[in-house]
């Protein structure tokens, strides 16, 4: 509908690239969303967790095409999708999936910009765990910025406690801080 450049992967990729290149002459940050692709769902992730049963081949041929183009064009950030891809990670939704964020997005696609969660107050996430735990799981998966946690102070305290407990490596936090600093500097 109105939140996408279209339905054809190549068209979306071309328009995404043109938009990103057009913004680069200005002091703005760009974001591609919702990774790894939220167009083929039959439910609203604001209300519940959509399940998309596509395999990796399908993702490569369709959903990931615009993200690859965005990354090649210098996108500053990528927002996660609150959805379950059981053929990619049968245990975790994308926002909590190390396979999806740290593996597919960072390692396989080579993205080194900001990974931003979609709002953590959305029904696709709130039904899975407590708000503070949602913040920790997203950071564990590779998110740099937590958008709209249910309790901001609680989320900060939970992430700090997870670092102290060894659940999140201090080096991961430092890499996130560096990415945020680069974005702010831009």
């Amino acid at each position: 509908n109105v939140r996408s450049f279209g339905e054809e992967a190549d068209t979306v990729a071309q328009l995404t690239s043109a938009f990103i290149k057009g913004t680069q002459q200005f002091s703005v940050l760009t974001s591609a969303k919702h990774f790894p692709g939220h167009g083929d769902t039959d439910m609203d992730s604001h209300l519940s967790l959509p399940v998309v049963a596509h395999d990796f081949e399908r993702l490569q041929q369709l959903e990931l095409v615009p993200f690859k183009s965005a990354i090649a064009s210098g996108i500053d950030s990528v927002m996660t999708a609150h959805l379950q891809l059981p053929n990619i990670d049968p245990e975790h939704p994308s926002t909590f999936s190390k396979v999806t964020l740290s593996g597919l997005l960072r390692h396989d696609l080579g993205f080194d910009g900001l990974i931003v969660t979609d709002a953590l107050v959305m029904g696709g996430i709130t039904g899975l765990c407590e708000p503070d735990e949602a913040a920790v799981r997203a950071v564990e998966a590779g998110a740099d910025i937590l958008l709209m946690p249910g309790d901001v102070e609680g989320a900060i305290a939970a992430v700090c406690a997870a670092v102290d407990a060894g659940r999140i490596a201090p080096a991961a936090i430092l890499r996130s801080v560096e990415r945020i600093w680069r974005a702010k500097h831009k």
Side-chain angles (χ1 to χ4, degrees):
N1 199 356
V2 298
R3 297 182 70 188
S4 171
F5 283 130
E7 294 182 13
E8 301 297 325
D10 291 335
T11 300
V12 174
Q14 288 176 328
L15 293 172
T16 298
S17 180
F19 181 86
I20 294 164
K21 289 177 183 174
T23 64
Q24 289 173 340
Q25 60 187 313
F26 303 102
S27 295
V28 297
L29 296 176
T30 52
S31 186
K33 60 182 192 173
H34 296 86
F35 188 82
H38 204 319
D40 196 15
T41 57
D42 60 359
M43 60 180 58
D44 184 349
S45 59
H46 291 90
L47 305 175
S48 59
L49 185 67
V51 176
V52 179
H54 301 315
D55 61 16
F56 188 68
E57 173 104 1
R58 158 67 190 256
L59 282 177
Q60 288 282 27
Q61 292 173 352
L62 187 64
E63 282 84 2
L64 295 181
V65 172
F67 289 103
K68 289 177 183 178
S69 177
I71 292 166
S73 297
I75 195 80
D76 297 300
S77 67
V78 171
M79 181 178 280
T80 67
H82 298 327
L83 52 84
Q84 181 77 41
L85 294 162
N87 292 320
I88 305 303
D89 185 341
E91 296 181 38
H92 305 99
S94 295
T95 299
F96 297 164
S97 172
K98 188 174 267 191
V99 170
T100 304
L101 302 185
S102 296
L104 181 58
L105 182 56
R106 287 250 186 258
H107 182 267
D108 297 349
L109 299 182
F111 179 66
D112 194 36
L114 293 171
I115 296 178
V116 181
T117 69
D118 204 345
L120 294 176
V121 295
M122 292 169 58
I125 291 296
T126 59
L128 301 176
C129 59
E130 295 298 316
D132 295 350
E133 178 64 15
V136 171
R137 289 182 187 183
V139 172
E140 279 182 314
D144 299 302
I145 295 179
L146 306 172
L147 181 64
M148 295 178 63
D151 171 13
V152 174
E153 291 179 5
I156 293 168
V159 170
C160 290
V163 171
D164 290 342
R167 191 170 164 190
I168 298 172
I173 299 296
L174 291 176
R175 286 190 298 272
S176 289
V177 168
E178 182 179 313
R179 288 184 194 100
I180 293 166
W181 181 86
R182 285 193 321 244
K184 287 181 176 186
H185 180 52
K186 180 181 177 179

